Amino acid sequence: MSARLLPLLVLPLLAACDGADMASQPKAKTWDANAFFPQGQTMRPPVPGTVPRAEPGRPVPEPAIIDAAMLERGRERYGVFCTPCHGAGGDGDGLIVGRGFPRPPSLHDPRLRAAPARHFYEVVSAGKGTMASYAAQVPPADRWAITAYVRALQLSRDAAVASLPAADRAALDGAR
């Protein structure tokens, strides 16, 4: 068979197609009735033992316990995502301010010290003012870790010496 004849043979087959595309194909939607399945519906229950994927936009409850590992994770994530704007100490003096960007609020501002922890989680999730949302970059558990670290930063500025453990008070006395 000649290579010139092959396109002529394929052409009638292509002409038989009615122009169907992926958008107009027959399909069943989630809540449609479907006689094929025993329950008569298209939606199927999950296979036993499967683990659901977390929805990135869904809020995660505040952790009941904040431990040293969570604070360390929060410190590390704060260093990556927050210090460029808020600075290492949370004063709002990050590198971007020196480059002409608007100064973010100090995390030690009395208004922010009085804000509930959920406020910081939501600001990281949705953004506020000139701060963009970090929901795509920071997973929900890390948002809570950052929130815990921000609280630790806030407490570090206002801790009474008498409330410190004896070893820390002694270290402070030795530093003077």
Side-chain angles (χ1 to χ4, degrees):
M1 183 179 291
S2 168
R4 292 182 175 174
L5 263 181
L6 186 59
L8 293 176
L9 292 174
V10 173
L11 194 57
L13 293 174
L14 290 175
C17 295
D18 63 355
D21 58 39
M22 296 297 284
S24 63
Q25 65 181 329
K27 58 184 165 259
K29 296 192 176 173
T30 305
W31 295 102
D32 288 350
N34 192 329
F36 181 77
F37 295 111
Q39 292 87 2
Q41 61 188 9
T42 298
M43 185 169 58
R44 310 301 312 139
V47 175
T50 57
V51 178
R53 290 179 49 177
E55 298 171 37
R58 194 179 95 227
V60 172
E62 187 173 348
I65 297 172
I66 297 172
D67 58 8
M70 183 178 189
L71 284 172
E72 180 56 29
R73 178 69 178 178
R75 184 193 64 75
E76 190 266 333
R77 298 284 81 194
Y78 178 91
V80 171
F81 294 105
C82 308
T83 57
C85 301
H86 291 280
D91 296 306
D93 59 354
L95 291 173
I96 64 141
V97 176
R99 307 272 192 297
F101 285 88
R103 185 182 193 96
S106 169
L107 298 173
H108 304 288
D109 182 281
R111 175 184 58 85
L112 292 177
R113 292 177 67 83
R118 166 96 27 210
H119 169 78
F120 296 100
Y121 178 88
E122 289 173 357
V123 169
V124 174
S125 300
K128 184 170 180 146
T130 58
M131 180 176 159
S133 166
Y134 277 77
Q137 295 92 341
V138 182
D142 284 350
R143 292 178 221 160
W144 280 118
I146 290 170
T147 297
Y149 182 71
V150 165
R151 285 297 196 219
L153 275 178
Q154 291 172 330
L155 288 172
S156 72
R157 292 282 175 96
D158 211 18
V161 174
S163 69
L164 297 174
D168 291 337
R169 283 195 311 263
L172 280 176
D173 289 339
R176 290 183 188 168

